[in-house]
Amino acid sequence: MNPKRKQRLLAVTFIVVGVGAAVGLALFALSQNINLFFNPSQIAAGEAPVDQRIRVGGMVVEGSVNRDPNSLAVTFNLTDYNGVVTVAYTGILPDLFREGQGVVTQGRLDTQGIFQADEVLAKHDENYMPPEIQRAVDKAKQAEATN
Amino acid sequence: MMRRVLLFIPLVVIVAMFLLFQQMIGHDPSALELARKDKPMPEFALPDLHDTQRFLTQNDLKGKPMLLNVWATWCPSCRVEHPYLLKLARENGVKLVGLNYKDDRDAALEWLDKLDNPYAFVLFDAEGKLGLDLGVYGAPETYVIDANGIIRYRHVGVVNEKVWKEILEPLLQTPGASS
Amino acid sequence: MIAELGHYALILGFCFAVLLSVIPLIGAWIGDRVWMRLSRPLAGAQFILVLGAFCALGANFLMDDFSVRYVAGNSNSLLPWYYKLSAVWGGHEGSLLLWALILTGWTAAVAKFSKSLPLDMVARVLGVMGLVNIGFMLFILVTSNPFLRYLPSSPQDGADLNPLLQDFGLIVHPPMLYMGYVGFSVAFAFAVAALLGGRLDAAWARWSRPWTTVAWSFQTIGIALGSWWAYYELGWGGWWFWDPVENASLMPWLAGTALMHSLAVTEKRGVFKSWTVLLAIFTFSLSLLGTFLVRSGILTSVHAFASDPERGRFVLGLLAVTIGGSLLLYALRAPVVKSRIGFSERSREIFLLLNNILLVVATLTVLGGTLFPLIAEFAGYEVSVGAPYFNLMFGFLAPILVLIMGVGIYSHWKDTPAGTLLKKIPPLAVVSLPIALIVPWLMGAFEWMVVVGMFISIWLIAATLLDVWTKSASRNGRWKGWLKTSRSFKGMVLGHLGLAVTIIGASLVSHYTVEKDVRMEPGSVSEVAGYQFKFVSVGHKQGPNYVGDRAEIQILDTDGDLVSTLHPEKRRYVVTGNVMTEAGIDPGLLRDLYVSLGEPVGEQAWAVRVQYKPFVRWLWLGAILMAWGGILAVADRRYRVLRKAKVRDQKEVSATVDSVTGAAVGGAE
C-alpha cells in the first residue's frame, strides 16, 4: 500500500471506529436514560412499571399536602381528574409548588402503589418543563373544566 | 464526481431536519381532529335557555352562516372571550348561537343578564348530549356553521381579534359557507 | 415618540442591511471597486442605526413608557433603574434586538479592522453579514417588533421583569453569550465569502482565525456566567442542568472549539479546507438553531410555538435560507481537488483531526439528546432525556479527548519522529496516576469518575507545563524564555490549563458535594462536612419590589471559630407574585458553603438546605483562563505584523496559494 492510501485508510478507520463507538454508546445511554412519562390515571390503571425510573405529572390535589412536622418528609396526591396517585418525597419542594398547580415528579413506583419521588419540578422551575408535561397539565386542566 | 456528491450530504441532512421541524410547527396540539368536519350538524332537540318550553333543532341553525359558541359559567376563559363576542355580534353583525354546556340554568341566565347577551338564541344542553355528538372537548369552543347547517370548522379556545380576523371571518365569508 | 423614532431607525437599519448585502456583493462580482468600497461605510451606518433603535428602547424602559407593549410586559415602575435597563433584553423582542445590535456591531468591527484584506474579500464578507442582518431585522420588524404600542389605552404599570432575571448575572450573561453566538457569524461570513470568491486558501484561514477565537472567548465567558448565575440565583446550587437552553449554548461552543483548531491546521498547512469551511457553517448554524429554537420555544414548550406559528414559520424559513443556502453553496463550490500535502499518522494534523472528530461527535451527542424528545413526540411517545445520558456521554468522550490532547501537544506538523510521542507517555502517567489516586483519598471517598477526571486533568496540566518547560529554554533563563514565546503559544497554554481546571472542578463538585435538607428553627445546629451551621434567627425584609423572610445562619468550624455569617432569603415579588429563593453563599477557592431556605414548616421553623460544595469555583476559574487564553492568542504579534506588512504579505499569500493549490475534501481525504 502506498503511504497516501495508508494514510487515508487510517483516517477513515479512525472516523468509522470513533463515530461508531460514540453512536453505539449514545444509543445505549439513551435507552438507559429515557424517562417515560405517565399520568395518574395510567398509574391507577396499573399501566406503569414498578421500580423503574419514570415521570409522573398532574395537578396537586387541594388539601392533600401532608408534611411530617418533625422531618422534611411530605406526601401529596396528584391527579389528572381521572385517577389519583400518592407521591412521597423527602426534601424541599420547589418555590412554585402549590396545591391546585401542575407539577412533575421523577422517581419510582413502589409495590404499594405509592410513587417515591426523588425530584419534584414545578412549572417554570429551574429545571425546564418539558412539553409533554405541559400538555399533561393542560389536559388535566381541560378535564377539570369539563367535569 | 463522486466527491462532489459527498459534499451534498450536509445539505440533505439539514433539509431533512427542516422538514421535521416544519411538521412540528404544523403539529398544533390545540387543533383537534374534527370528525364532523364538512358534515351536517347532528340531529338534536334542545330547549332554549330562556324559554325551556321552546325546543330548538338542527333546522334552526340554517339559513345564514353563523358561529356556534360552546360556553358555560364554570369556564373562566369564556368570561375572557365574552366581551369580544359581544363586539362581534354588535359591531360586525355576526350571527352567534350559544350552546350552554353542562351548566346550571340559573347561573347561566344570571351570567347573560350581567354580562349581556351576544347570542341570537342559546341552546341549553345540561347533560351535554349535543356536546357528545359534536365531540366537544371543553369550553370554550366555537364552530363555524354555514348556511346549509354544515360544520366547517372548530376553534378550541378563546376567540379574539386574531382568531376572528385570520380564521373565522374568512371562513364565514367563503362562498362555500354562504351558499 | 421615542418608540417611533426607534422603530424608524430599525426600518432604516434594515434598508441599509439590504444595501450592504446588494451593492458590495454585486461590486465584487462585476469587479467594481467603487461599489465594493461602499461596504465599509454602509456597515458603519447600519450599526449606528440599530444602536439608535436599541437606545430608543432603552430610553422607553428608563422612562417607564408603559404604552409600549414590550416595556409594559417586562418592566415595572418599582424596578431599580439598572434592572430596567437589563430588562431591555429580558424578553423575546428585546433580546432579538440585542442580537441584531451585536450582529451589526460585529459587522462594523470587521469593516474597521480589515485594512489588510483585499477589497473584494471585505466586500463579500460584509455583504454576507448584511444578508444575515436582513433576515434578523426582517424577523424583528415583521413578527417581533418591540416598539408596538397599546393603543388607545395603555396600562398604568408594567407586569414586572421575571424575578429570576433581576440579577447582576443576567445583566451581563446574555450580552456575553450573544457576543459569542453572533461572533461566529464572522467566521461564517468569511467561509461563505471564500466559497463565493473561490479563494479558499491559507490566507482566508488566517483572516478568520482571530475573529473565531474572540467569539469563542466571549462564548466561553457567556456560558460560564450562565452556569454561575444558575448556581447562585436559582437557589439550589446546581451549576449545569443539561436543559435545552444550556445545550443550545454548549453546541456552538463545542463546534466553535473544533473550528478554532481546524482553522489552525488550515492556516499552517493548507489542508482540511473543505472541512474547516463546513465547520464554520456548522458552528454558526448551531448558534442560529440554538437561539431560535429556544427563543421560539419549540424545545421548551410546543405550545409557545404552536400559539404563534407565524413566528415559528418565519424562524424556520430564515434558518432554511441561511443554513440551506450556505450548504448548497458549499456543495457546489467547495474544492474537491485532491490534496498533495502529505502528513503521517503521527503528525499534528492527525491529532487535530482527532480533536475535531471528537468535538463534533460531542456536539452531535448534545444535539441528539436535545432533539430526541422532539422526534419521539412526533412518533407519538412522551419522553424526556435525563442528565445521566449527557453525563455518560461526556464521561466517555472527554477523557479520550483530553488524553489525546496531552500527547498531541508534542506532535509536529507533517510528521513526528517515531518514538517521541511514546516517550512522553510514561512521565505523564507517572505524574497523573498518583495524584488521581490521592485526591479521592484526601476527599474521603473513592469514586471512579473522580480518578478519571483527576487523571486526565493532571495529564493535561503536566503535558502543558512540560511543553512550556521545553519551549522556554533560553540563554537568559526560563522566565525570559517564557516571555519570549509567542502570545498565541501562551494563549494555547492558558486555554488548555483552563480546560483542566474546569474538569477538576466538575469532577470534584459532582462527587463530593455534601447536601443536607434539614428542619431548622432558631437555635438548631446542623453539621455538614465538618462545619456547624447554626440557625440564629429569621426575620422579615422589605425590598424595593418584593417582601421576604431573611434568616441569619452562622457557620462555625470544628474549633468553634466563626467562619462566616450567611443571610439566605425567601422573596415574594409583589407584582408577579413569584417566590424566589436567594441563597446565602460563603465562597472560597477550595469550597463554597451554601445555604438556602426551603419553606416554612412550623411557627419559626424552616426547611433549610445546607450544602458543602468543594472546588465549585474552579469550574468558572477554568473558563476565565480559557477565555483569557483566547484573547491572548488573538493579541499575537503576527496578526499585527500582518497588517503593517500588507503589501508584502499579499504577495506571499498568493505564493502560498500557488503552492497549496490542491485542497483536501474534509478530513477523510
Side-chain angles (χ1 to χ4, degrees):
Chain A
M1 241 188 327
N2 70 37
K4 189 83 217 179
R5 286 212 145 167
K6 196 174 149 203
Q7 183 188 318
R8 188 182 305 169
L9 192 71
L10 194 81
V12 171
T13 318
F14 266 143
I15 294 178
V16 170
V17 172
V19 173
V23 167
L25 188 77
L27 289 179
F28 170 76
L30 264 183
S31 67
Q32 297 294 305
N33 292 300
I34 291 172
N35 302 316
L36 274 169
F37 182 84
F38 292 90
N39 50 39
S41 47
Q42 282 171 309
I43 291 184
E47 286 171 30
V50 170
D51 203 32
Q52 226 186 64
R53 217 175 140 71
I54 54 171
R55 290 182 153 212
V56 178
M59 316 293 279
V60 181
V61 177
E62 301 263 358
S64 72
V65 179
N66 238 321
R67 213 176 231 304
D68 178 3
N70 299 314
S71 75
L72 292 178
V74 60
T75 62
F76 53 88
N77 292 345
L78 278 186
T79 180
D80 58 354
Y81 300 100
N82 272 323
V84 177
V85 60
T86 301
V87 180
Y89 175 71
T90 301
I92 293 172
L93 294 167
D95 288 340
L96 293 167
F97 182 95
R98 306 257 161 73
E99 290 186 352
Q101 288 287 313
V103 301
V104 175
T105 59
Q106 196 152 276
R108 291 161 201 276
L109 192 65
D110 70 10
T111 43
Q112 270 90 52
I114 292 177
F115 191 69
Q116 300 289 345
D118 50 35
E119 204 175 347
V120 176
L121 311 176
K123 203 175 169 232
H124 305 306
D125 196 16
E126 66 263 39
N127 297 297
Y128 92 114
M129 183 87 137
E132 81 262 19
I133 286 138
Q134 179 66 52
R135 225 168 313 125
V137 169
D138 285 356
K139 262 187 224 158
K141 274 199 187 130
Q142 277 276 7
E144 182 195 24
T146 337
N147 287 333
Chain B
M1 203 49 227
M2 195 47 212
R3 291 158 191 285
R4 185 57 77 194
V5 173
L6 285 179
L7 293 182
F8 278 89
I9 293 174
L11 182 65
V12 173
V13 172
I14 287 292
V15 167
M17 226 166 93
F18 277 128
L19 288 178
L20 179 76
F21 286 147
Q22 174 65 33
Q23 294 295 316
M24 292 304 299
I25 296 183
H27 184 70
D28 181 345
S30 68
L32 296 170
E33 298 279 309
L34 177 51
R36 301 196 68 91
K37 187 168 157 51
D38 297 331
K39 297 215 173 92
M41 277 295 285
E43 289 182 12
F44 66 89
L46 287 173
D48 185 320
L49 180 72
H50 291 91
D51 177 8
T52 44
Q53 299 308 309
R54 188 180 152 220
F55 274 77
L56 299 158
T57 67
Q58 66 277 10
N59 293 325
D60 293 296
L61 299 182
K62 285 182 187 164
K64 190 181 169 200
M66 68 181 77
L67 297 180
L68 177 70
N69 177 251
V70 181
W71 66 282
T73 54
W74 44 257
C75 145
S77 305
C78 297
R79 195 176 287 267
V80 173
E81 72 173 356
H82 198 89
Y84 195 74
L85 294 179
L86 281 170
K87 178 176 175 285
L88 283 184
R90 303 240 165 97
E91 291 169 25
N92 301 39
V94 177
K95 184 177 179 192
L96 267 167
V97 174
L99 174 62
N100 183 245
Y101 179 66
K102 287 190 181 176
D103 204 3
D104 178 61
R105 181 160 178 260
D106 293 336
L109 286 173
E110 192 193 324
W111 162 297
L112 290 181
D113 218 35
K114 225 160 73 187
L115 298 178
D116 231 343
N117 185 357
Y119 307 109
F121 52 86
V122 179
L123 307 168
F124 180 52
D125 187 13
E127 287 100 53
K129 273 187 294 191
L130 177 58
L132 194 69
D133 289 342
L134 272 174
V136 168
Y137 180 72
E141 281 185 17
T142 301
Y143 292 76
V144 177
I145 295 168
D146 74 8
N148 301 322
I150 310 286
I151 303 172
R152 290 299 179 189
Y153 184 78
R154 161 165 67 180
H155 172 75
V156 176
V158 172
V159 173
N160 54 28
E161 179 85 28
K162 198 173 149 121
V163 173
W164 166 250
K165 279 268 178 283
E166 288 176 12
I167 304 169
L168 301 180
E169 190 177 27
L171 277 169
L172 274 183
Q173 283 169 350
T174 49
S178 51
S179 68
Chain C
M1 186 59 200
I2 292 181
E4 279 67 32
L5 279 178
H7 193 174
Y8 186 63
L10 194 60
I11 294 173
L12 218 58
F14 169 73
C15 298
F16 271 84
V18 174
L19 292 179
L20 176 60
S21 50
V22 173
I23 297 177
L25 282 181
I26 292 180
W29 189 33
I30 60 172
D32 186 327
R33 297 188 68 80
V34 179
W35 282 35
M36 286 191 261
R37 269 201 204 99
L38 273 173
S39 60
R40 284 198 180 102
L42 282 174
Q46 178 199 237
F47 173 61
I48 289 166
L49 284 165
V50 177
L51 184 66
F54 191 81
C55 292
L57 189 60
N60 278 319
F61 268 91
L62 286 180
M63 297 183 326
D64 290 328
D65 188 348
F66 296 121
S67 68
V68 177
R69 275 190 212 201
Y70 181 69
V71 178
N74 290 283
S75 184
N76 184 276
S77 53
L78 291 177
L79 210 59
W81 69 269
Y82 40 90
Y83 292 145
K84 279 180 185 164
L85 217 50
S86 71
V88 172
W89 52 84
H92 170 81
E93 289 86 349
S95 55
L96 277 178
L97 190 60
L98 180 66
W99 247 93
L101 174 69
I102 293 177
L103 188 54
T104 52
W106 277 105
T107 314
V110 173
K112 174 122 181 52
F113 299 108
S114 59
K115 301 276 188 301
S116 65
L117 266 61
L119 187 58
D120 61 331
M121 190 71 185
V122 175
R124 286 201 185 96
V125 170
L126 293 179
V128 171
M129 294 194 74
L131 281 172
V132 181
N133 287 337
I134 290 182
F136 266 95
M137 291 197 224
L138 203 59
F139 183 55
I140 298 176
L141 288 169
V142 174
T143 71
S144 317
N145 188 346
F147 296 110
L148 290 181
R149 281 188 195 271
Y150 277 121
L151 287 173
S153 63
S154 61
Q156 285 302 302
D157 208 335
D160 205 0
L161 180 64
N162 182 345
L164 279 176
L165 309 184
Q166 297 183 24
D167 174 80
F168 170 76
L170 249 281
I171 296 182
V172 286
H173 163 64
M176 280 291 166
L177 199 57
Y178 287 4
M179 284 296 281
Y181 271 146
V182 185
F184 288 129
S185 70
V186 181
F188 169 81
F190 268 99
V192 172
L195 285 174
L196 280 175
R199 292 184 47 164
L200 221 54
D201 49 35
W204 155 74
R206 189 185 309 173
W207 291 325
S208 86
R209 219 177 136 187
W211 294 102
T212 310
T213 312
V214 172
W216 177 88
S217 299
F218 276 116
Q219 180 90 349
T220 310
I221 291 292
I223 294 175
L225 277 170
S227 154
W228 176 60
W229 169 81
Y231 171 75
Y232 72 80
E233 179 69 12
L234 294 178
W236 307 113
W239 49 272
W240 193 263
F241 299 98
W242 293 112
D243 80 17
V245 183
E246 288 169 324
N247 292 349
S249 67
L250 187 65
M251 288 187 284
W253 186 84
L254 289 168
T257 313
L259 174 62
M260 225 169 33
H261 291 92
S262 174
L263 276 170
V265 187
T266 307
E267 182 197 341
K268 298 282 189 197
R269 299 282 301 147
V271 289
F272 302 162
K273 287 174 190 170
S274 298
W275 172 249
T276 309
V277 168
L278 186 60
L279 261 184
I281 295 174
F282 186 53
T283 306
F284 185 56
S285 303
L286 284 171
S287 290
L288 284 179
L289 204 73
T291 349
F292 274 137
L293 291 193
V294 169
R295 272 274 147 237
S296 54
I298 192 171
L299 291 175
T300 40
S301 159
V302 173
H303 282 223
F305 219 162
S307 65
D308 207 344
E310 182 195 5
R311 237 178 226 179
R313 293 234 156 77
F314 202 111
V315 168
L316 208 62
L318 198 62
L319 287 177
V321 170
T322 319
I323 304 175
S326 51
L327 284 179
L328 182 66
L329 185 69
Y330 172 79
L332 296 174
R333 299 291 302 256
V336 285
V337 193
K338 263 199 216 168
S339 171
R340 275 188 275 128
I341 301 160
F343 48 85
S344 84
E345 60 269 33
R346 292 182 306 272
S347 64
R348 181 163 276 211
E349 287 91 326
I350 286 288
F351 277 99
L352 286 171
L353 174 63
L354 282 174
N355 144 306
N356 265 246
I357 293 170
L358 282 162
L359 283 167
V360 168
V361 168
T363 313
L364 295 178
T365 303
V366 181
L367 188 66
T370 313
L371 293 184
F372 185 79
L374 209 68
I375 296 163
E377 184 195 308
F378 198 61
Y381 295 97
E382 296 188 352
V383 299
S384 64
V385 177
Y389 159 76
F390 296 103
N391 290 337
L392 185 64
M393 289 307 291
F394 275 73
F396 168 74
L397 291 171
I400 302 179
L401 178 67
V402 176
L403 291 179
I404 293 177
M405 271 169 85
V407 181
I409 289 175
Y410 299 106
S411 61
H412 303 174
W413 296 116
K414 275 173 140 175
D415 194 9
T416 316
T420 315
L421 295 175
L422 285 177
K423 255 190 280 171
K424 298 290 178 189
I425 293 177
L428 292 183
V430 163
V431 182
S432 321
L433 198 58
I435 299 185
L437 292 172
I438 288 172
V439 168
W441 179 71
L442 281 177
M443 301 298 290
F446 185 83
E447 295 276 356
W448 267 112
M449 281 318 284
V450 175
V451 175
V452 173
M454 288 310 295
F455 184 83
I456 60 170
S457 331
I458 304 299
W459 172 279
L460 180 54
I461 292 176
T464 306
L465 293 183
L466 211 62
D467 190 37
V468 169
W469 184 259
T470 331
K471 298 253 165 72
S472 63
S474 83
R475 274 180 296 135
N476 307 320
R478 296 270 168 202
W479 181 245
K480 286 266 170 62
W482 160 247
L483 290 182
K484 281 194 85 162
T485 57
S486 70
R487 285 201 179 129
S488 71
F489 176 73
K490 290 192 188 93
M492 182 190 84
V493 168
L494 272 183
H496 289 171
L497 288 180
L499 178 65
V501 168
T502 297
I503 295 176
I504 293 177
S507 348
L508 294 181
V509 76
S510 304
H511 291 95
Y512 296 119
T513 290
V514 184
E515 179 185 310
K516 234 176 165 180
D517 287 350
V518 282
R519 182 180 186 277
M520 289 187 120
E521 50 201 341
S524 27
V525 176
S526 176
E527 200 204 296
V528 170
Y531 292 93
Q532 307 277 331
F533 290 75
K534 190 174 171 201
F535 195 91
V536 180
S537 65
V538 60
H540 281 282
K541 182 187 175 186
Q542 176 75 47
N545 52 351
Y546 60 88
V547 292
D549 295 292
R550 184 166 185 264
E552 184 177 323
I553 289 177
Q554 286 181 347
I555 304 173
L556 312 169
D557 62 17
T558 31
D559 304 327
D561 295 332
L562 186 70
V563 177
S564 172
T565 305
L566 300 180
H567 294 102
E569 290 176 23
K570 200 80 183 180
R571 293 180 182 172
R572 210 180 142 272
Y573 283 81
V574 183
V575 181
T576 51
N578 285 343
V579 177
M580 284 283 308
T581 306
E582 291 283 317
I585 305 173
D586 176 45
L589 187 60
L590 298 184
R591 56 103 192 96
D592 272 20
L593 299 173
Y594 194 109
V595 180
S596 33
L597 289 181
E599 59 216 281
V601 287
E603 191 69 359
Q604 282 267 297
W606 281 77
V608 181
R609 179 169 294 176
V610 184
Q611 293 181 89
Y612 163 78
K613 302 197 87 76
F615 291 86
V616 64
R617 301 275 145 185
W618 289 45
L619 286 168
W620 312 305
L621 189 69
I624 293 172
L625 286 178
M626 285 190 254
W628 186 13
I631 299 298
L632 210 57
V634 174
D636 194 273
R637 270 185 74 230
R638 73 199 147 98
Y639 295 118
R640 274 171 297 152
V641 169
L642 190 74
R643 211 164 293 145
K644 279 181 203 143
K646 179 180 155 193
V647 184
R648 193 173 51 87
D649 193 68
Q650 211 60 278
K651 282 178 195 148
E652 266 179 30
V653 165
S654 46
T656 333
V657 175
D658 294 337
S659 66
V660 190
T661 345
V665 183
E669 297 301 316

